[in-house]
Amino acid sequence: MYTSKSRRSMRVMGLVLLLAFLLSSVAIAAPAPEKPSVTAASAIVMDYDTGEVLYEKDADTMRVPASMTKVMTAYIIFEELEAGNLTLDTMVPISAANAQRSRDGSNYPASVPLPAGSSVSVDTLLKLILVPSASASCIVMAEYISGSEAAFVQRMNATAQRLGMTAEYKNSHGAHVHYLTARSQAILVREFIHRFPQILDYTSLTGVSFNGKWYPNTNKLLPGLDYAYSGVDGFKTGTISAAGYCLSATAVKNGHRIISVVMKSSNDRTRHTDSRALLDYGFAMVEYQSPYADVAYHWCREDVASLKDLGVELHASGDSFRPDEVITRAEFTAMLYTALERSNALPELPETASPEETTAPENTTLPEETPASEEITLPEETPVPEEPVQTEPLFYDIYGHWAQDYIQKAAQLDLITGTDGYFTPDRPITRQEMMVVLDRCLELPDENGLGFSDDDDIALWALEAAARTSAAGLFQGGNGNTLRPEATCSRAEAVTVLSRVIDML
């Protein structure tokens, strides 16, 4: 048997547990990540997907990049490969002068001896430039591409200007002093990966063998090396006395890429520990800035964030957007209507479908017109019934639905239609259905963007809409240039399409 004292103790304990539960249920905003402690003179962290700078320290001061210079040299080599002026198998001759430079560790540090009078492939020279940071190999490629290193340097500076960099290149290798900013190096790395993603096949190498000798990568953030950081697949170090220790790096976590740059660190260890701290902070900021926990590293993150900021109804569940779930007809209608509303782009009401328009109840017979001279006398005890005022009828299956108001308004604007009075709001929407809806609400030019391998799968009722929306760039094919018109759309795909819609309004 419980005593009164024990019962009071149990009640107190129950109240404590209840209070703890209630407090745990309160959503408390997570604090912003603490900024990294960086010893390097200049540093920057950039979101690869958006170009957003997540952290910077004196990022616009011109500093000596040392061998990070070689990133621009490699970028121009890749431009030549793209243009067809080179192939990876192209054999490049090694002059006696360059063979001598390749052995001159005092004036051209990071020396990798090249055989005079022979030829080395572009592929091998790229590996020597990017992995052990061979300076003479840069001069070999510069002379082969532009006729002289001086002419090549002019191209380096012109390329930097085109990319929006602040740089003053004076050589192709960085063994001698010239200047650029940490921000500019991050811009170049981002552009390089975006335009030539195959560069990561080189920068991710932990070492390279040449003429019987193994040369390790100087970027020790790579897997298995001294300062290994999960997800790192490049980029480039730089070290001379005037520069201190520099390192540009990039890493991927859950499909999201971050770029970091440090310049003028005091030693090899700190440039790597600084870079690790910067990458940690960059990924933490991506999570912190994410509009929903489950899109922090998702490819749709930027579109979800922009639509949420605009005030679009995304039908999220607390801190979950559910990007990979299929989107229903109701969800897409709510997203579309609020996106157009917030962008001041809702179409005008059709003349025949005003929201104030009234309709007579079904099965009601109106009396014939009564001549003005006749008077109708009703019994006093019989009140004259007031005829109910009705708005445009709703679909039968949306009463009480969370999206009822959005569906009703969209229907009045003729953006959506149902079948036999039903809308089926919770049925997933297909790509071709989405095309038809967008074609109804946008004034798209009558152009044909088709030409996909599965054009024959498009229903006849969706063919014209598919042609116009594809031409406008709202829908794109997948692998093998397929459109997948009958496939259902995910919520992530829907926000991407709506972001494109907003961009073209």
Side-chain angles (χ1 to χ4, degrees):
M1 174 178 286
Y2 293 111
T3 66
S4 59
K5 183 176 180 181
S6 65
R7 283 197 294 269
R8 284 197 300 272
S9 298
M10 291 179 66
R11 284 198 296 270
V12 171
M13 181 61 69
L15 289 172
V16 170
L17 292 174
L18 177 61
L19 179 60
F21 173 78
L22 292 174
L23 289 174
S24 68
S25 302
V26 176
I28 300 175
E34 187 174 342
K35 290 186 177 181
S37 176
V38 177
T39 63
S42 292
I44 194 168
V45 180
M46 182 178 288
D47 185 328
Y48 168 79
D49 289 341
T50 65
E52 177 188 2
V53 174
L54 303 172
Y55 170 84
E56 60 181 283
K57 174 186 177 183
D58 206 15
D60 295 311
T61 295
M62 294 283 273
R63 299 194 185 277
V64 180
S67 287
M68 289 199 308
T69 299
K70 295 178 172 72
V71 176
M72 177 60 82
T73 297
Y75 182 82
I76 293 175
I77 294 172
F78 270 84
E79 285 189 325
E80 291 293 292
L81 290 167
E82 181 185 60
N85 298 327
L86 296 174
T87 70
L88 291 175
D89 295 327
T90 297
M91 301 302 293
V92 183
I94 308 300
S95 67
N98 283 330
Q100 177 60 34
R101 291 187 182 101
S102 72
R103 293 166 172 79
D104 184 358
S106 297
N107 293 309
Y108 300 95
S111 58
V112 176
L114 298 171
S118 66
S119 297
V120 179
S121 71
V122 169
D123 180 61
T124 298
L125 288 169
L126 272 170
K127 290 174 180 175
L128 296 180
I129 290 168
L130 293 166
V131 179
S133 198
S135 295
S137 295
C138 293
I139 302 175
V140 169
M141 287 303 307
E143 292 178 346
Y144 188 79
I145 290 171
S146 299
S148 69
E149 187 182 15
F152 187 83
V153 169
Q154 288 182 347
R155 180 168 173 179
M156 292 172 72
N157 285 312
T159 303
Q161 185 175 15
R162 188 183 79 241
L163 297 180
M165 298 169 57
T166 302
E168 297 175 358
Y169 292 110
K170 294 184 178 179
N171 56 74
S172 62
H173 43 76
H176 306 151
V177 173
H178 56 207
Y179 300 92
L180 57 72
T181 67
R183 190 185 309 278
S184 295
Q185 184 70 12
I187 289 171
L188 177 58
V189 171
R190 180 175 183 246
E191 166 65 18
F192 207 151
I193 298 172
H194 176 72
R195 185 174 175 187
F196 306 114
Q198 60 269 39
I199 182 59
L200 298 172
D201 295 337
Y202 291 87
T203 61
S204 61
L205 295 171
T206 56
V208 61
S209 181
F210 180 69
N211 280 349
K213 184 177 179 180
W214 175 256
Y215 297 91
N217 198 319
T218 51
N219 177 6
K220 299 173 186 176
L221 294 173
L222 290 166
L225 301 186
D226 293 349
Y227 302 96
Y229 186 95
S230 178
V232 166
D233 50 9
F235 214 77
K236 187 73 189 73
T237 61
T239 311
I240 59 174
S241 58
Y245 290 79
C246 306
L247 173 58
S248 48
T250 184
V252 175
K253 178 179 179 180
N254 295 329
H256 200 95
R257 182 176 295 279
I258 296 293
I259 296 167
S260 68
V261 178
V262 296
M263 299 186 74
K264 206 172 179 60
S265 284
S266 57
N267 55 58
D268 182 57
R269 178 181 178 278
T270 57
R271 71 173 166 187
H272 285 93
T273 55
D274 279 351
S275 296
R276 288 176 60 92
L278 290 170
L279 292 170
D280 279 344
Y281 180 78
F283 286 119
M285 280 299 292
V286 168
E287 292 183 358
Y288 176 72
Q289 294 178 348
S290 177
Y292 300 101
D294 55 357
V295 298
Y297 300 108
H298 200 282
W299 54 264
C300 72
R301 168 180 170 264
E302 186 179 0
D303 291 325
V304 173
S306 64
L307 292 186
K308 185 179 181 184
D309 289 343
L310 186 62
V312 173
E313 170 56 69
L314 298 176
H315 196 223
S317 300
D319 196 32
S320 176
F321 175 71
R322 314 181 311 281
D324 298 317
E325 289 185 8
V326 295
I327 187 166
T328 65
R329 290 161 57 84
E331 288 173 327
F332 183 72
T333 300
M335 286 186 190
L336 175 63
Y337 182 86
T338 52
L340 296 175
E341 182 182 46
R342 294 295 179 143
S343 303
N344 296 316
L346 283 173
E348 294 183 1
L349 281 168
E351 293 182 2
T352 58
S354 170
E356 290 80 20
E357 181 179 353
T358 60
T359 58
E362 292 183 5
N363 303 320
T364 299
T365 303
L366 297 177
E368 296 181 3
E369 185 175 349
T370 303
S373 59
E374 294 187 17
E375 293 185 1
I376 300 177
T377 303
L378 295 174
E380 292 183 3
E381 66 274 14
T382 306
V384 179
E386 293 185 3
E387 196 166 306
V389 177
Q390 298 182 2
T391 59
E392 196 72 19
L394 296 168
F395 299 108
Y396 298 124
D397 54 356
I398 67 170
Y399 285 103
H401 196 279
W402 68 266
Q404 175 180 329
D405 189 49
Y406 300 119
I407 296 169
Q408 172 72 359
K409 290 177 179 178
Q412 289 171 342
L413 292 175
D414 201 29
L415 300 181
I416 58 170
T417 59
T419 303
D420 297 329
Y422 291 89
F423 183 68
T424 55
D426 296 319
R427 181 173 66 77
I429 190 170
T430 65
R431 290 168 67 88
Q432 62 185 2
E433 287 175 326
M434 201 178 285
M435 290 172 178
V436 171
V437 171
L438 294 176
D439 190 48
R440 294 168 72 96
C441 68
L442 300 173
E443 294 183 2
L444 298 175
D446 195 15
E447 298 177 358
N448 185 2
L450 299 181
F452 301 98
S453 60
D454 55 352
D455 281 351
D456 291 342
D457 293 338
I458 303 172
L460 289 177
W461 51 264
L463 195 58
E464 291 186 6
R468 284 189 286 265
T469 53
S470 297
L474 299 180
F475 289 85
Q476 299 167 359
N479 295 331
N481 199 31
T482 57
L483 183 62
R484 301 179 295 118
E486 297 175 324
T488 55
C489 280
S490 69
R491 290 167 53 82
E493 290 173 320
V495 295
T496 299
V497 170
L498 286 181
S499 292
R500 293 171 184 161
V501 168
I502 291 171
D503 287 342
M504 67 182 293
L505 292 176

